[in-house]
Amino acid sequence: MSALYSGIHTKLKNTKVPWEDKIKLAHFAWISQQCFLPNKEQVLLDWVCHALVGVHSKKLNLEEDVHQKLWCFLDSILRSKRLECLIKDGKSVNLRFAIAQVMNDYIDISPAHQSPPAGISTILGCCQTVLSTPTLAFVYTTKYELLVDLLSKLCTLACHCLNNPSEQLTVQVLKIVNLCFTQYQQVQRQQSNPNRVFTYVIAHLFQPCLLLRHILNVRIWSKDDNNQVRHQVIKDIRNNIETLLQSALFQPELLTLYKEELLPVGDRPEKKKISPKIPLMPLTSLLAKLEDSSFCNADTYVSLLANSISLVYKLFLDSYCKEGKEIFCFHMFVKLFQCLKSTIPFKQEDEVTSSGYSTGLLALEHLLDLALSHDIYNVAEDHIRHKDVQYQFYRILAEMLICNPCTSSQSWFRCIKTLVLLNHLIVEPDLDDLLSCAWIDADISDFRIRKAQEALISSLLQTYTKLRQFPKLFQEVVILICRPAADELRQPIFTSSLNEKLADFLIQLPPNQILDVWAFILEKIDCDIFPDIKDDPDVCLKLLSLSSLLHCLLFNMKSLDNYSPMPVLARFHDLMKQMMDKLIMPSLTLIKEHSVNTLFLTWLPKFCNAILLLLYTWIEVNTVTKLNCKKYISQLGDLALLLESSLEGWDFSMFSGDKDCWNKIYKHCTQSNPLCKFYLELLSIQKIKCVLMHCVSTTKSMQLTLQNAAHLIIHPISDLKVLEHHKPWSGNANIIDTSSFHVAHWHLIVSNLPIILPYIPQEEIYNITDFLLETLLPAQYRKDQTDKEISVSFEDISVALLKSDHFSELPVLQCAFITSIITKCAITVKEKSVLYAIFDRLSAKDLNWHEDFLSSYSKGTKLSSSDMEGTLNNQISGCVINLEEVVQCILSMTEQNTSDAEVNHLTIVLEFISALKPDSLTPSDQCRCFLLLLSIAKATSFRNLQILCVCYRLMVFLLSGKHAKSLFKLLYASDILKTVMICFKPTALEFANDLENKPYWPEFVSIIQSFFDTLLSLVLDRKQSCLLNLEKFAEFVFQFVPNPKSKNWNSCIGQLLISVLCSLCRILTTCIQEHIVDKKKTETFCALLQQSVVTMNIVVTQCLKVSAPSEILPSFLVSCTATLLEAEVSCQDKINSQNIEVYRSFCSQILRELPYAEKQTLFIRNAFRYLLKSINVEEIYAAQQMQVTSIFGSMKKLLSSPWINSEIIQSFELELKDLFSQMMERCSCEEFNAVLQLTLQGLEVSNLWKNSDKEIIAGMTITKLLLNCSLKDEKGKVFWFTASQIMTALVTLGNEACKDRSLFSDIVVPVIDTMALLLRRGEMFMNNPHHVTLSFRTLLTVPLDHLRFEEYYSIFLAVHEVLFSILQCHSKAMLKSVAPFLSTFHRLVSSVMHEGQQKGDKGTAHETEVILKCAQLVERMYTHIAAKTEEFTVFSAFMVSQYVNELQKVTLQPAVKRHLTGGIFHILDLCIDRDIKFLNASLQIGVREVFKELYQEYTHHHKTRSQVEEKYTAL
């Protein structure tokens, strides 16, 4: 073999040897161990590199196939383990620089092709290996320009691959690009010449990097794309691009050069001596590259420029925006905007320019947002020092945007919003045009754009509210509304969300501001609207708009009260009088005069709408003001006189106008004007309220008036219907049309049910509840889920009513709703069936079901003739007769045939019973619902198990009501139990295990057990015939149990019998404990219990023999066997030996299955309960498998299972604690030592290195369990002797886990929690201060930045708890380690300050809540520190200094600041005068101002209050 390789070097150089043979020879030489060529690896590497360089330089002419094989050979060498081992051993292996250039050139060639060459993948592989191997990467890292060239070409190749979806190289190329970025950044940091770096980056990398970033941002990723590419790699590349550009283009050394180009001549820094070389002009170069469109497609360039400019400005601000450099940053803004404007026309002329304008607006939005967030515009400084240069520029921007509105773009609205936030004076000169194009005349249908519009309007409202210039803004709005325009095309002024925001702002305003707007609106109506109202529909629409505006203002303003100033009250009274006398009254007269031929008066309907809205608003404001302000005198006359005779529903002459006028308005409105009809209904509500408020006693005429008003609202009944093309209602009384009227009408009825219900007949109440049920049924009348506008649908209103408190407080309505449910069930089933007859009797609408007729009735009694006199009593006796007949039907009925459709519909309808509150049901309603469910349950086959689950679950729900015992007046408890048991015949259960029923069977068995538990508990609580009922039921159950040898036996009947017997055992055990004094009853109960235990033993044994594997068996059988064991212990002195074996076998099986009980939390909890009961029974505990070590071993395996986590442990934590405490109490010292050793093994740091995280979790969980046990005598001494080992292990574990952020939630937080618990429990036992202060090592290591908020709070709380434990329980140890204690606490303070600073709109409500909790913890800690006066007095000044130094860096949220300030005030209490003087003298200037402000607030508020409290404190 050695002969084969003789002269190998010569053969490789021989031109006569074919290249195919050379490659084979070189390959075999590389892999062979018998080739002893000196420096073989370097020789072969040089040979293949030389060949590839020769091919590239055209010195060698090889076939493409041979060329590819050479690249493959080079790739195999670079990737080989042999080369890797040589490099590890320190052997020098070098690559030629020429091969690096060749690779660059090939990568440069590939994007020019439609698809990259065939061998490009291999070349990229070579490049990746070279870059990732430090020894080989020197060919790039030592030649900066070569690496720049590679990175530029790789970016171009990546762009090519991303633009071609079919390209297969995308993943590989992006990974190499990311690797190359990493290498480049390391090399760039080593460069000493910043000008050279800038020149190379701007010339070769700037444009490719921007293009790559842009394509990564805008590319639409498909499902076929690799997730790894879409997420981590792309994120890394984007971050690397931003880091590269920032570090190269905006270096600190280039700041002076940028200033020379940006700042005016007077503001430029002094120039140094001019170098003979051409000076570097970074800004000019940068802008030239941005304006160069030749490096990408023309279609891509506009969006690329827009994205790039905002990125460049962001990087610029991040690098240079510091205090005192705001004007410098502003000039950069101007330059970038000019660059943007030179390419993108900021005006909208046609479709082509429109898309470019939208793109430019997006870029401008980002620029303005950056300017706002970095606070580069200081209004005062700009005016005084810079002669309004910024203001003038922003004014130009505002004029440009307002003169060229683009209401189809969200960015347009956001740009103007940002300008308003910068300074409202920027837009104020064009305020009328802005309000016109952005609000009053804007036609916007897109939801997202509407949200941007609402954000802009909210900003305007908020700004003018704060400046107390609200009238100025709304005067412009009113003037715009009054301008000539096509009002039919205008959208409503206030949407629902805007209305809510307006309400928030109006509360902050003084009343005079709103009264000014009110007066102005009335003046404009009087001068500009009312004179031209006739025969002009547009003017009527303007009046309606102004009425809507006035309605919003008056409804949302703060009501006047007894404390309102008299001038304000007088002005308010004048405006109310003016509105009624000069507007409403003349308008009603005008309507009356023109109500003859309404068909030809197109303006009249709109005029009616406006006037009715104004009247409704006036009445509502008048009522509210009269209630809140005794000084206010209403214009309305004496209602008692007005109501001497009854009023028709449409007659509102009690408010204004005369009867004839309202008759004409009513006739006109009921024709085809839904908005007018709705306003009349609102006026009817006001009429009812006024009558109820102003009249002490109700006369017949008043009663009739109230009924007529309620009749107007409810009738015609056709209004309670759902149109085919209905739409949701926005909730705004001004926005109602034909398609939304019915939703608004239903909302009005539901909202006012408490006041109109007493005045409508029973028939109408049934119509309301029928409609309520109809709208609640699924898949009907639901609003479009894609409609994101704030709106309500039929379903929303009905669900809100059903969930509201007042629904349960209206027994008549609730009773009618139950009748509607039963009626719906009757419609579902066949007419001639038994079920239909039962439902028909239970839902008879001619009976008074809401009356309390069961209180004087009991089973077996008959109503006397005197009780049956009168119509009402006849109806009541009819209710009783119907219920008795229903009971007899249920007892005698058999299984009924029901179709699947009927069952599904019944299931849906019955679920509405669960929405009721059981305690609010009357006895009759409780009985009706229960009998309804019981009848369906008895009539339904086990083939339909789902509806049986619903029925029994709802029966359990009803039995929890306070009137549940009234059921026993109709049915004996034993009859109910027997009725249910009869359904469990073995023949009936043959369908229970069908494939369709299998998922519902575990739930059904659980519900049946709950049913019997609840019903038997009710029998016991009733304390009437308890023994008799239980004897009857027990006797029936014992007879019902089939013979184990019978063919009828199956697992289903066994499980049901176990659940019944289990409930019976539990209730009998309780009875024995309650009747322990009465020996006779106790003996009877014991006899029943013994018989129940024997029967249950037989059933359980049989189930274990015949049952097929089932989901319910583990948890269910364990729970029932635990009950059986408890019952047997309570009724017998000694447990049967056969039963002991069963119990022991259960224990063994449980211990085997526990570690594998994944997703079986219920089984684990029941298993722990069973083990707890078993461990207390000596006969069972004596067995070998029940020793503590066996149970502990199984428990530890469970806690260290791969599927276990903190949430699962928390779900069975209580049961685990109880069992473990009992184990530690029963175990011997030897067993305790074994448990302790196994626990310490779980806390070893080696488990972390082995990735055995679950072992650590198990160790910490057991440590916490040990700490929660009351260890006495020897066991306690042993445990606290090892406490130092536990603390050391926890500290080591915590420090190691802090290195990996993925372990924070699973390891770090539990470690710190365990430390805190150990320190609290060890207050009397951990005497060595060193063991206590060890915890600071972990507390100072754990990071508090760049965390998810869930992690942040858990870590923050854990660290706080450790500090609190040390402070409270280990004061002596703390005195020796005050420095680390204060350092750790200061980390918490600075962290909460950083996270709690004001972030604009970026923070979420959840994040704010988390930060507030953390701030409260800090305040609490400050309070406890201050309480330790002796220990911390010396350090008080130091703590205050730390606090103000951090405070000076941030602007805190007010709520966060309130808590932190409250805490530091307690520390200031410890400071003496000398400390205050020291702080004033030693703090830096900016920090000193912060301290002075803090100390002034402390002096004025906290200190004064403390002195007052101290003065009045009893000695």
Side-chain angles (χ1 to χ4, degrees), residues 1138-1187:
Q1138 292 181 349
N1139 294 348
I1140 288 174
E1141 290 303 319
V1142 174
Y1143 296 139
R1144 285 178 177 176
S1145 65
F1146 253 77
C1147 291
S1148 302
Q1149 189 66 25
I1150 285 170
L1151 294 179
R1152 281 195 295 272
E1153 291 185 9
L1154 261 181
Y1156 310 105
E1158 186 175 359
K1159 296 180 181 177
Q1160 296 185 44
T1161 308
L1162 187 59
F1163 164 71
I1164 296 171
R1165 292 171 63 187
N1166 289 334
F1168 285 153
R1169 288 195 198 107
Y1170 178 77
L1171 290 172
L1172 177 61
K1173 288 182 173 65
S1174 301
I1175 210 171
N1176 289 318
V1177 179
E1178 194 61 42
E1179 295 93 331
I1180 304 173
Y1181 181 71
Q1184 182 64 35
Q1185 65 269 21
M1186 278 298 292
Q1187 295 298 317

Side-chain angles (χ1 to χ4, degrees), residues 13 51 169 183 204 421 626 824 858 865 933 950 1089 1167 1189 1252 1302 1415:
K13 287 192 172 184
L169 290 171
Q183 286 286 1
H204 303 287
L421 294 175
K626 193 171 181 181
K824 202 71 173 177
S858 61
S865 58
L933 296 166
V950 172
L1089 183 57
T1189 49
S1252 301
S1302 63

Side-chain angles (χ1 to χ4, degrees), residues 485-741:
D487 289 81
E488 285 282 5
L489 303 177
R490 278 179 173 168
Q491 292 188 347
I493 298 172
F494 284 104
T495 60
S496 298
S497 54
L498 263 181
N499 204 9
E500 289 177 9
K501 291 171 183 173
L502 176 66
D504 294 336
F505 300 139
L506 290 178
I507 292 294
Q508 305 169 24
L509 284 173
N512 269 326
Q513 295 261 307
I514 301 170
L515 298 182
D516 287 344
V517 180
W518 187 0
F520 186 75
I521 292 174
L522 293 179
E523 182 186 340
K524 293 298 288 185
I525 292 174
D526 189 41
C527 298
D528 297 349
I529 303 295
F530 214 70
D532 304 322
I533 199 74
K534 294 180 185 179
D535 302 325
D536 194 339
D538 281 344
V539 176
C540 291
L541 281 173
K542 294 183 192 305
L543 178 61
L544 183 59
S545 296
L546 291 174
S547 302
S548 302
L549 179 60
L550 190 56
H551 171 80
C552 292
L553 288 173
L554 297 183
F555 258 60
N556 294 315
M557 71 178 283
K558 188 177 180 181
S559 175
L560 300 184
D561 53 29
N562 295 325
Y563 302 101
S564 299
M566 284 304 297
V568 172
L569 190 60
R571 191 180 179 199
F572 175 85
H573 187 274
D574 289 344
L575 287 171
M576 288 288 285
K577 184 175 176 58
Q578 182 183 343
M579 185 174 172
M580 175 59 77
D581 295 346
K582 294 186 178 180
L583 180 57
I584 296 174
M585 291 291 289
S587 299
L588 290 174
T589 305
L590 187 64
I591 294 171
K592 180 182 176 181
E593 292 171 357
H594 292 80
S595 295
V596 182
N597 296 317
T598 57
L599 294 175
F600 304 101
L601 301 175
T602 56
W603 60 275
L604 192 58
K606 300 175 180 61
F607 184 60
C608 282
N609 294 342
I611 297 308
L612 288 177
L613 178 59
L614 285 172
L615 178 59
Y616 165 65
T617 305
W618 190 94
I619 295 168
E620 183 77 26
V621 172
N622 177 76
T623 305
V624 172
T625 310
K626 193 171 181 181
L627 286 172
N628 290 295
C629 183
K630 294 179 181 178
K631 301 174 186 176
Y632 174 71
I633 302 171
S634 173
Q635 286 181 255
L636 294 179
D638 188 354
L639 289 178
L641 294 175
L642 293 171
L643 293 171
E644 287 181 354
S645 60
S646 62
L647 298 179
E648 295 290 340
W650 43 261
D651 185 0
F652 301 104
S653 55
M654 59 184 289
F655 298 129
S656 179
D658 55 26
K659 187 173 181 178
D660 185 38
C661 172
W662 285 110
N663 189 14
K664 291 180 178 179
I665 291 174
Y666 177 69
K667 287 179 181 178
H668 166 68
C669 292
T670 51
Q671 292 173 3
S672 59
N673 192 341
L675 187 58
C676 203
K677 193 187 299 185
F678 185 73
Y679 291 153
L680 285 176
E681 291 176 359
L682 287 172
L683 287 172
S684 296
I685 295 293
Q686 291 302 317
K687 184 196 289 188
I688 295 173
K689 288 179 180 179
C690 284
V691 172
L692 292 174
M693 283 191 302
H694 292 88
C695 301
V696 179
S697 59
T698 306
T699 62
K700 286 185 179 180
S701 61
M702 290 180 185
Q703 183 74 15
L704 193 57
T705 298
L706 292 169
Q707 289 173 356
N708 291 337
H711 182 79
L712 178 72
I713 299 166
I714 298 299
H715 272 278
I717 197 62
S718 58
D719 288 342
L720 274 183
K721 66 178 182 180
V722 181
L723 295 178
E724 187 176 349
H725 301 293
H726 80 285
K727 67 179 182 181
W729 180 46
S730 65
N732 195 332
N734 313 316
I735 312 172
I736 295 175
D737 53 21
T738 307
S739 57
S740 64
F741 167 73

Side-chain angles (χ1 to χ4, degrees), residues 769-905:
T769 54
D770 287 343
F771 186 74
L772 170 64
L773 183 61
E774 184 186 0
T775 52
L776 285 167
L777 292 174
Q780 295 185 60
Y781 322 128
R782 294 196 173 187
K783 68 179 178 184
D784 185 4
Q785 297 299 318
T786 59
D787 183 13
K788 299 178 183 177
E789 183 63 74
I790 298 174
S791 58
V792 289
S793 65
F794 285 115
E795 185 190 16
D796 296 332
I797 299 165
S798 300
V799 169
L801 172 61
L802 207 58
K803 290 181 178 179
S804 66
D805 290 332
H806 70 253
F807 183 78
S808 58
E809 294 168 1
L810 299 170
V812 176
L813 184 69
Q814 191 166 241
C815 180
F817 182 65
I818 291 169
T819 303
S820 297
I821 290 176
I822 301 172
T823 305
K824 202 71 173 177
C825 292
I827 295 170
T828 304
V829 299
K830 298 172 184 175
E831 281 193 24
K832 295 182 180 179
S833 64
V834 179
L835 276 179
Y836 181 83
I838 291 172
F839 297 162
D840 188 48
R841 287 184 176 88
L842 291 175
S843 62
K845 293 186 177 179
D846 56 342
L847 300 177
N848 289 341
W849 292 107
H850 59 276
E851 298 291 342
D852 181 17
F853 55 84
L854 284 176
S855 58
S856 59
Y857 170 81
S858 61
K859 186 172 175 60
T861 61
K862 292 185 178 180
L863 293 171
S864 63
S865 58
S866 61
D867 293 333
M868 297 181 65
E869 290 178 0
T871 307
L872 179 63
N873 288 332
N874 284 335
Q875 290 179 340
I876 291 174
S877 63
C879 293
V880 173
I881 292 167
N882 278 19
L883 289 175
E884 286 182 338
E885 290 176 356
V886 167
V887 168
Q888 293 305 316
C889 286
I890 292 172
L891 293 176
S892 61
M893 74 186 297
T894 57
E895 186 180 302
Q896 306 289 308
N897 291 324
T898 49
S899 66
D900 291 342
E902 290 173 351
V903 169
N904 290 336
H905 198 268

